[in-house]
Amino acid sequence: MRRAVAVRISALLAAGALTAAAGVALSTTTASAATGGVTGYATQNGGTTGGAGGQTVRATTGTAIHQALCSRASSSTPITIQVEGTINHGNTTKVSGSSCNTAADRIELKQISNVTIVGVGNGAVFDQLGIHIREAANIVIQNVTVRNVKKSGSPTSNGGDAIGMESDVRNVWVDHVTLEASGGESEGYDGLFDMKDNTQYVTLSYSVLRNSGRGGLIGSSESDRSNGYVTFHHNLYENIDSRAPLLRGGIAHMYNNHYKRLNESGINSRAGARAKVDNNYFEDSKDVLGTFYTSEAGYWQVGGNVFDNVTWSSRSGDHNPAGPNPTSNTSVSIPYDFALDGANCVPGVVAQTAGAGKGLKVSDGSCTPQSPDPTDPGPTDPGEPTDPGPTDPPAGANLSLGAGADGSSKASGTSYGNVIDGNTSTYWSPSGSTGSVSVKWGSATTVSKAGIRLASGSGTIGAYRLLNHDTGAVLASGSGAGTVSFSPASLKKITLEITNASGTPRIAEFETYAN
């Protein structure tokens, strides 16, 4: 058998450095990111939509990215930032504002929500500059390359992580990205994709992680077990020493990934973690699954995997590989739908779809790559639920009657309470074309439908979102008025956020229903 090589070779960097502009965000466009649709655990907890329905801007520098975040009306106003060119320390500075909290040495997505960053045109390369997601929710990162981020040496960024998440992060979808280093910790690099301190509902799909000592982790220590619900699918892990990933506590689902040259260990499930490992292809690697470097065991459910030229060490002390014949020692229930490609075709499918610059191609579940449908709505095409008309009322009692109301942005002479009074001749309007109004209860109430009724003379709602105000999760999004259904949610407060409108909307009633 061939001996796994040590990961101490230089990564092949993207050919042809792109010219970095020093300007700020360019003018607004109506373009949007084409996607194959969010998948995995990022579909749960209300789903992940990023900046869908909001403004779209173009950025060619890190400063312009920060400026776009800081120019929003609020830290939750949806925005899609299209990035082209090379983003580095030389063109990334801190920008201040009430809707942002940025830093000069990284792309900082901190204390914000509802943001999409997508590479366009000739591509987006974050060179020696990491992306940091902290105290944030509903984030999409797509079609970008992040390379050679260091925690020691010069320059340093983001603790050495290409993409790092920590501190109460929810609902992140990272898709069609390339994350790469040029060595391990001794060369100054850390993890390519790290999650810490209560990070949940994350999907990494159709991406490449290569040439690093550490692929990534879920949980920073054996006691950091508040992370989990992470899906990894159709990714290539190549020339990685370990942590592909390291999972401490929580649940992760790995399916249809191609693992090639895992030099020391691969999926490291420990500290009570549970990993569901389906139809992956492991090649030219060592100890690709097990509990390593700890006495605190983790668990796995395996099925349909291919082990091609994989070597297994003997069990000893804190080194407990699952092989040479891996069998399940737990069961994991997956709450979302997914289609498995056969493991034998995974290398071919992943080669055609994974990484930045692949045209966002996806698999259809039958080993056939395809171009995605342009389903992600832009500012002028909100898509999602459409207006079924006010003549389609839900059954059951309107829970808004007798509840409370508040909001942000209120036109003179209108009242938040007018949306819960059962009178369609009274209404609330934002002070302009955007704003939010909420219905609230003293105790948790289950809601699965909402009705938006407009008063006479109202402007048109171009785009809106329904939010679980307790968690910030997006329950639904759409345009116009009418009735919208979503997965039942137990909450104390639900918010209607209008993100785009023609004229000034007049919301006569914001109805809520259990059924």
Side-chain angles (χ1 to χ4, degrees):
M1 294 195 178
R2 287 174 285 174
R3 181 175 62 88
V5 298
V7 56
R8 296 294 179 263
I9 62 175
S10 297
L12 294 176
L13 303 182
L18 301 173
T19 302
V24 297
L26 301 180
S27 59
T28 301
T29 76
T30 57
S32 62
T35 76
V38 62
T39 51
Y41 272 115
T43 65
Q44 304 299 289
N45 190 44
T48 305
T49 58
Q55 184 186 38
T56 300
V57 301
R58 186 72 66 101
T60 58
T61 69
T63 302
I65 294 172
H66 285 160
Q67 185 64 60
L69 296 172
C70 296
S71 297
R72 297 186 295 166
S74 74
S75 61
S76 63
T77 302
I79 189 170
T80 294
I81 305 172
Q82 298 178 333
V83 182
E84 184 174 19
T86 300
I87 310 301
N88 55 33
H89 286 263
N91 61 35
T92 301
T93 57
K94 175 181 175 65
V95 178
S96 299
S98 60
S99 62
C100 63
N101 190 346
T102 69
D105 60 349
R106 70 199 73 183
I107 297 301
E108 189 77 281
L109 307 181
K110 183 177 181 180
Q111 298 168 343
I112 63 173
S113 59
N114 312 324
V115 174
T116 293
I117 293 178
V118 56
V120 296
N122 292 320
V125 177
F126 294 80
D127 185 27
Q128 302 181 78
L129 198 76
I131 299 175
H132 187 218
I133 304 171
R134 183 183 180 95
E135 301 171 68
N138 195 26
I139 305 295
V140 174
I141 299 173
Q142 194 171 46
N143 198 40
V144 303
T145 294
V146 186
R147 67 188 184 195
N148 291 334
V149 180
K150 287 189 173 185
K151 69 176 182 179
S152 61
S154 180
T156 59
S157 175
N158 198 30
D161 296 337
I163 295 179
M165 291 160 270
E166 61 178 312
S167 299
D168 304 321
V169 173
R170 292 291 185 276
N171 290 87
V172 177
W173 180 33
V174 178
D175 177 67
H176 284 90
V177 304
T178 297
L179 309 177
E180 57 190 7
S182 295
E185 188 175 20
S186 62
E187 284 79 27
Y189 305 98
D190 196 7
L192 294 177
F193 195 70
D194 279 10
M195 289 156 274
K196 311 169 187 176
D197 191 17
N198 197 22
T199 294
Q200 298 180 359
Y201 301 106
V202 176
T203 295
L204 176 66
S205 56
Y206 298 102
S207 294
V208 173
L209 298 87
R210 63 188 172 204
N211 300 331
S212 176
R214 297 170 173 174
L217 58 75
I218 305 171
S220 59
S221 68
E222 305 298 76
S223 62
D224 183 14
R225 303 189 187 190
S226 58
N227 310 279
Y229 307 116
V230 183
T231 301
F232 303 82
H233 74 90
H234 292 92
N235 303 300
L236 171 64
Y237 284 79
E238 183 176 20
N239 196 23
I240 302 289
D241 278 353
S242 63
R243 300 186 182 183
L246 163 60
L247 174 63
R248 293 175 167 122
I251 294 174
H253 186 197
M254 298 84 169
Y255 70 91
N256 287 153
N257 299 292
H258 185 196
Y259 300 91
K260 187 175 182 180
R261 286 190 292 149
L262 303 182
N263 302 316
E264 297 173 9
S265 61
I267 299 170
N268 185 354
S269 179
R270 53 199 269 188
R274 292 188 296 148
K276 184 169 172 61
V277 185
D278 293 324
N279 287 34
N280 300 282
Y281 196 101
F282 299 92
E283 181 180 5
D284 298 341
S285 297
K286 177 182 178 182
D287 290 341
V288 297
L289 173 65
T291 296
F292 307 107
Y293 322 119
T294 182
S295 60
E296 298 191 41
Y299 308 95
W300 44 83
Q301 180 181 351
V302 294
N305 301 289
V306 170
F307 301 93
D308 178 7
N309 192 35
V310 171
T311 59
W312 299 92
S313 301
S314 299
R315 295 189 177 188
S316 176
D318 62 3
H319 192 82
N320 291 284
N325 297 301
T327 58
S328 301
N329 56 17
T330 192
S331 62
V332 180
S333 177
I334 299 299
Y336 50 81
D337 294 331
F338 60 99
L340 287 172
D341 289 311
N344 281 315
C345 72
V346 163
V349 169
V350 169
Q352 295 178 69
T353 58
K358 291 293 182 68
L360 302 180
K361 289 183 178 179
V362 297
S363 171
D364 64 357
S366 62
C367 299
T368 306
Q370 60 180 358
S371 296
D373 295 327
T375 55
D376 186 15
T380 58
D381 179 20
E384 299 285 345
T386 56
D387 181 6
T391 59
D392 182 26
N398 175 11
L399 302 175
S400 297
L401 299 177
D406 60 22
S408 66
S409 180
K410 181 174 63 175
S412 176
T414 71
S415 170
Y416 300 123
N418 287 342
V419 304
I420 58 171
D421 63 2
N423 183 352
T424 57
S425 65
T426 64
Y427 58 88
W428 160 83
S429 286
S431 58
S433 59
T434 62
S436 64
V437 62
S438 302
V439 177
K440 57 185 180 179
W441 299 270
S443 58
T445 300
T446 298
V447 180
S448 66
K449 287 187 179 180
I452 304 168
R453 311 298 176 206
L454 299 180
S456 176
S458 174
T460 302
I461 300 175
Y464 71 82
R465 301 188 315 152
L466 290 177
L467 305 176
N468 179 336
H469 194 89
D470 305 350
T471 65
V474 178
L475 302 173
S477 60
S479 62
T483 304
V484 61
S485 300
F486 44 86
S487 297
S490 179
L491 43 76
K492 291 185 178 181
K493 186 174 179 179
I494 184 171
T495 297
L496 167 64
E497 183 180 59
I498 299 172
T499 60
N500 182 273
S502 176
T504 301
R506 295 180 176 182
I507 308 301
E509 294 296 303
F510 180 14
E511 302 169 352
T512 52
Y513 298 87
N515 298 305

